[in-house]
Amino acid sequence: MKKYVIWAIRILFLALFILLMVTGKMMLWLALYGVSLVLSIFFGRFYCGYICPMNTLMIPVEKLSLKLKIQSDKKPKDIVGKILPWAMLVVTVVIMIMSKKLLKKDIPMLLIWLGLSVLVTLRYKPEVFHNYICPFGALQNVFGRFAIFSHRVKKDTCIGCNLCERACPTSAIKVTDKKAEITVSDCLQCTNCSEVCPTNTIKYTTKSKISTAENVAKD
């Protein structure tokens, strides 16, 4: 998919998010998110790569951070792990429910998370927020690991150049023994890796098709 098409989709959904937020219809956005969870079983974490307003803003914010030279290569040790996103998910849901019942109004938790994603990305690489903080990404990770379609590497043509590993915003790609491997549950389906691959070895396809192609190449 062309880069301008990807960005057109992202901006469209960002505009939809803002419209629903202004009109007080954020439940429709949550419904959209719920549908994306089910579809991620088939198509991977496309919500994170194309629809999520946090990711859409984090991309230019990271570029700004690099330009200002304020981004750190280190990960904050206190939050590295898989527990915090789930804890944040529980806290977010509780606040949304209690504010509705006790305060009789909706606290804009999605807007709060949007601001937090920007602040975190100003200081750290995107993978910190994606992998260790975002509660919505935690759910996408669970459903996305069963993805039928995803970006995958044809090992027979991979040259282990590490370009895809460096381009991935979630560190879903690791190069070992001069061959890249993509962790499907962490992949945002954003195409960053396939765009920088010099051998066109990364494809959005099923695991079976990748295996078949490799077996044919061996024969």
Side-chain angles (χ1 to χ4, degrees):
M1 190 181 297
K2 299 293 184 180
K3 199 71 174 179
Y4 67 86
V5 175
I6 294 175
W7 271 104
I9 294 172
R10 287 171 176 163
I11 293 173
L12 177 64
F13 277 106
L14 178 61
L16 177 61
F17 175 83
I18 294 172
L19 176 64
L20 294 178
M21 181 180 63
V22 171
T23 57
K25 298 179 179 179
M26 291 308 295
M27 289 304 296
L28 291 177
W29 187 267
L30 292 177
L32 173 64
Y33 176 79
V35 171
S36 76
L37 284 178
V38 177
L39 293 178
S40 66
I41 298 174
F42 302 95
F43 306 110
R45 293 175 58 176
F46 68 92
Y47 173 89
C48 298
Y50 295 84
I51 299 176
C52 180
M54 291 184 286
N55 181 60
T56 298
L57 292 184
M58 286 167 65
I59 296 172
V61 167
E62 185 197 16
K63 292 181 179 179
L64 175 63
S65 177
L66 290 171
K67 187 174 183 180
L68 296 176
K69 298 180 180 181
I70 59 177
Q71 186 183 87
S72 173
D73 290 331
K74 298 180 180 180
K75 302 175 185 177
K77 296 180 180 179
D78 295 337
I79 67 170
V80 173
K82 296 295 184 180
I83 298 178
L84 184 59
W86 293 103
M88 291 296 96
L89 178 62
V90 172
V91 170
T92 299
V93 172
V94 169
I95 290 177
M96 291 176 69
I97 293 175
M98 296 306 292
S99 64
K100 189 74 173 180
K101 288 187 175 182
L102 300 180
L103 302 178
K104 306 301 180 183
K105 66 178 183 179
D106 296 318
I107 293 180
M109 290 304 298
L110 294 179
L111 185 60
I112 292 173
W113 275 110
L114 188 66
L116 183 60
S117 69
V118 169
L119 292 175
V120 171
T121 307
L122 276 173
R123 179 56 178 165
Y124 300 105
K125 290 182 178 296
E127 68 168 295
V128 171
F129 185 81
H130 283 306
N131 295 353
Y132 308 117
I133 300 176
C134 182
F136 310 104
L139 279 174
Q140 290 284 338
N141 182 286
V142 171
F143 284 77
R145 70 183 56 198
F146 304 107
I148 297 174
F149 286 89
S150 179
H151 280 86
R152 292 182 167 90
V153 179
K154 292 174 59 181
K155 298 292 183 65
D156 59 311
T157 54
C158 177
I159 60 175
C161 64
N162 292 91
L163 291 177
C164 58
E165 184 176 354
R166 291 197 290 269
C168 182
T170 60
S171 294
I173 306 176
K174 298 296 181 184
V175 177
T176 55
D177 298 325
K178 296 184 179 181
K179 297 295 179 181
E181 181 73 32
I182 298 177
T183 301
V184 173
S185 59
D186 293 332
C187 179
L188 306 187
Q189 313 302 335
C190 66
T191 75
N192 285 13
C193 55
S194 58
E195 289 172 10
V196 299
C197 180
T199 58
N200 196 31
T201 192
I202 301 176
K203 304 290 185 180
Y204 181 74
T205 185
T206 64
K207 187 175 182 180
S208 60
K209 286 188 177 181
I210 284 290
S211 299
T212 300
E214 291 176 349
N215 290 333
V216 170
K218 289 179 181 179
D219 294 339

